[in-house]
Amino acid sequence: LKLRKVGLKDFPNYKRKLVVQNIPLELTEEQIMNYFFTVLSSISKEEYAKNPIMSVIRYKDLGFVTLDFRKREDAEICLNLDGTEFRSGSKMRILRVKRFMDEWNTEIEKGRNPILA
């Protein structure tokens, strides 16, 4: 496992994305998307005609996924899920891309594994 620093080039359209850590990466993108769609549907006051999440990208080698949202408001709702349990019992870590990059790169600079942080 070759850990590396990450930058904005790793996250196209980063303003509409969130980074999610501590979820089982053996799940498919569709399973992850459906999980968050179900949660959003139960929390949001909005009735969705289509899934508010446009895509899920797995960075399996780095241990996280990104969620790409149609609207920033839906990303805000998901940010509030930070620290809640995913199905498996592990607590999800959900961050905006820039904050995630800062924390990830700081851990690497200190010689630590950001996946374990």
Side-chain angles (χ1 to χ4, degrees), residues 38-92:
T38 301
V39 171
L40 272 171
S41 296
S42 67
I43 295 174
S44 177
K45 293 170 179 62
E46 184 174 338
E47 297 266 337
Y48 296 108
K50 54 182 158 182
N51 197 326
I53 302 168
M54 294 190 307
S55 69
V56 173
I57 300 172
R58 267 188 306 173
Y59 294 78
K60 203 166 189 166
D61 58 328
L62 297 174
F64 61 85
V65 300
T66 58
L67 305 177
D68 191 358
F69 293 86
R70 293 184 194 283
K71 295 187 330 197
R72 195 175 175 105
E73 296 82 29
D74 294 320
E76 295 292 327
I77 293 169
C78 279
L79 265 176
N80 292 326
L81 298 172
D82 182 44
T84 62
E85 285 191 11
F86 192 76
R87 298 181 201 145
S88 61
S90 60
K91 292 190 185 232
M92 292 185 290

